[in-house]
Amino acid sequence: MRASRVRRGLTAVATALATAATATAATAGAAPQAPPEPATADVRLITFNDLHGNLEPPTGSSGEIELDDGGTVEAGGAAYLAAHLERLRAEVPNSLVFSAGDSVGASPVNSALFHDEPTIDFLNSQDVRAHVAGNHEFDEGYQELWRMATGGCHPQDGCEFRDSFAGADFPYLGSNVTFEGGAPALLPFTVQLSGGVPIGVIGATLHDLPSSVSPGAVRGLEFGDEVEAIDRTADALDRIGVKAQVVLLHQGDEAESGGPNSCDVAPGGPAHRIAAAVTPKVDALFTAHSHQQYTCTVPDPAGAPRPVLQGASYGRLLSVLDLRVDRASGEVVRQGSRARNEVVTRDIAPDPEAAALVEEAREKAAPIANRAVGTTAGDLLREPAPSGESSMGSVIADAQLESTADAGAQVALTNPGGVRADLPHASSPAGEGDGVVTYGEAFAVQPFGNTMQTITLTGAQLKGVLEQQWTPEGATILQVSAGLHYAWSESAPIGSKVSGLTLHGEPVVPDAPYRVAVNNFLAGGGDGFTGFLEGTDVTGGKLDLDALLDYFAAHPGVVPPSADRIEVQG
């Protein structure tokens, strides 16, 4: 925790104590008493999640929000996010702003080129008071997360955005994140005063976070059960007299349809499971990670309703929770709570301070970001077909196969979560022209800097990997390179869904060796694909972004591939 935040917290506590002392003295003396303080305090909590360094308004489908009536509206952008925050704070002066994780990592080039320092500066400017560590906060390891928190120039690249970097003015939370041996690696909670009442903020990240990052990024860390950690922390807050408690949970459900304030989510999701189980001491949960929009009410174990909500991603929604807190007991009056998601529309004047920061990042990144690297003949989109394949994912897989040909690769597979943006055919606001792909656009698609690896799997092991695409929690369909074809059955049981696996029209032989190209995240068993760990004869390769850049350079006018590599059967 930064010293400035500590000082501010101590000052707030001292002010509250002094106010209480003054009121007591006035009551004891003969001086006229001030009007009695209201029995309850109204406090507004505002949270965003999964910003991913999107300082500029995101484009394509990533810059739209589906409304309750089925229509869409353009949304997002740091300058508009700041303007809406100012409006919401003006409505309720006792307001606190939080982040539910993944503010950095997988970021566009304007933030990522500078190791996301511009995004941290933006969060500081918005007086964010607490931030749970998401999985992407660990993309570059714990030491980089610590640098984000405490400041200092990057150990290799120095300070490239500004002459110095002060770090975050807010604490990173993670009640279930420990070092091996059990010592806390992050603060479990923070207490914030608002309206004269203390609000306990508990942070918890997904317990299976190691499956979402490269193994080396979380070496030496352990991620415990979310419910156990939240309950333990809630008990500690209760013991010190903090009764109003909320959770920043970097875990979420999948929404099946609906606008920002619907609750049409897939049953049995992790956020609902956690929300139904954690102690009744917790009054609300802000969720994240799944990039979905929903506003739900889930009964706690005592049967009392409490809000559970998530605000999509990329700064397109703000999750707003209005609490009524009893001043005498410190408890939240549940029936007085109101939760909703508000769209960060672009129909209001942008905040000038935030706009200046965005423009500074854009100008400093422009010489690299606006360089043309290729052309396309149509939209390359990450929205999947019913089979699970997408045109953007197919192009990435083709690029990775081509980049690993020298290592003998016969097929390439890539994870859909690594495909981070569309490549629209229309020109971006930078004015490069229709069909022109810039470095910045390509970077937004492949921002992780994963290294390609080529491994040997038997045909049976390759089929086994494909069977791992389905789990009881849902499906993660890998993107496949041209030449590989198979069918999967919706009705078949998990573990037996794949059939008709061929390579260039020939059946894949179970005991024959095949050279398979994957990024190092998948090679390490990421996203639960542990079958890749069986690979042998590992050969290193290029960065995934470089593979995509080389592919665009070698193939002018890339045509969106047809969705015919994977077939869906009944």
Side-chain angles (χ1 to χ4, degrees), residues 511-527:
D511 58 356
Y514 295 88
R515 294 289 281 166
V516 180
V518 293
N519 59 46
N520 64 300
F521 169 71
L522 283 177
D527 277 348

Side-chain angles (χ1 to χ4, degrees), residues 21-98:
T22 301
T24 301
T27 302
Q33 295 184 19
E37 199 171 36
T40 60
D42 291 329
V43 177
R44 171 167 287 179
L45 309 182
I46 313 168
T47 300
F48 54 88
N49 57 276
D50 299 284
L51 180 63
H52 288 291
N54 277 264
L55 299 177
E56 296 201 49
T59 60
S61 60
S62 297
E64 296 177 344
I65 281 293
E66 180 183 353
L67 302 175
D68 294 324
D69 62 5
T72 60
V73 62
E74 290 186 336
Y80 298 105
L81 181 67
H84 282 278
L85 282 172
E86 182 178 4
R87 172 182 60 81
L88 289 167
R89 282 167 157 152
E91 293 172 356
V92 179
N94 300 324
S95 294
L96 299 170
V97 178
F98 309 133

Side-chain angles (χ1 to χ4, degrees), residues 159-445:
C159 284
E160 295 185 318
F161 182 55
R162 290 174 175 164
D163 292 338
S164 62
F165 175 61
D169 284 341
F170 48 84
Y172 281 97
L173 306 179
S175 60
N176 60 334
V177 186
T178 62
F179 296 111
E180 292 177 349
L186 296 171
L187 291 174
F189 68 86
T190 182
V191 178
Q192 299 291 321
L193 284 176
S194 186
V197 295
I199 307 294
V201 186
I202 302 168
T205 196
L206 61 163
H207 81 277
D208 56 349
L209 186 148
S211 69
S212 300
V213 299
S214 299
V218 291
R219 188 171 291 116
L221 297 173
E222 295 179 343
F223 298 83
D225 180 77
E226 301 99 330
V227 174
E228 189 279 329
I230 293 169
D231 284 0
R232 180 181 66 248
T233 309
D235 287 344
L237 284 168
D238 185 69
R239 284 195 296 270
I240 62 174
V242 179
K243 305 298 184 180
Q245 302 180 17
V246 298
V247 169
L248 303 178
L249 175 66
H250 196 76
Q251 178 61 285
D253 292 330
E254 292 295 328
E256 298 189 325
S257 64
N261 292 299
S262 69
C263 188
D264 187 9
V265 300
H272 266 62
R273 173 186 60 80
I274 294 168
V278 297
T279 173
K281 293 182 176 72
V282 169
D283 297 296
L285 294 92
F286 294 100
T287 72
H289 185 57
S290 57
H291 292 207
Q292 303 295 295
Q293 55 183 32
Y294 50 78
T295 303
C296 300
T297 300
V298 178
D300 66 24
R306 58 184 169 194
V308 178
L309 60 168
Q310 184 179 158
S313 60
Y314 306 151
R316 293 174 292 165
L317 289 179
L318 286 168
S319 297
V320 182
L321 175 61
D322 289 324
L323 297 178
R324 183 155 294 163
V325 184
D326 185 280
R327 291 185 183 276
S329 68
E331 299 276 4
V332 169
V333 182
R334 290 271 185 99
Q335 61 268 33
S337 299
R338 298 291 181 269
R340 67 189 184 279
N341 283 319
E342 290 212 6
V343 181
V344 178
T345 60
R346 304 176 193 168
D347 58 356
I348 65 173
D351 178 81
E353 180 183 353
L357 173 63
V358 173
E359 182 60 25
E360 179 184 0
R362 180 192 300 123
E363 289 181 353
K364 290 181 177 179
I368 296 174
N370 295 338
R371 175 170 58 88
V373 297
T375 56
T376 66
D379 293 335
L380 298 179
L381 305 177
R382 57 180 179 151
E383 180 67 26
S387 63
E389 58 187 312
S390 70
S391 58
M392 190 71 255
S394 294
V395 167
I396 290 172
D398 290 346
Q400 294 181 351
L401 177 62
E402 193 166 294
S403 76
T404 52
D406 290 347
Q410 298 165 276
V411 61
L413 305 171
T414 195
N415 52 308
V419 185
R420 302 302 297 190
D422 300 330
L423 277 181
H425 184 261
S427 176
S428 76
E432 72 279 358
D434 292 349
V436 177
V437 180
T438 66
Y439 178 89
E441 291 174 317
F443 188 98
V445 173

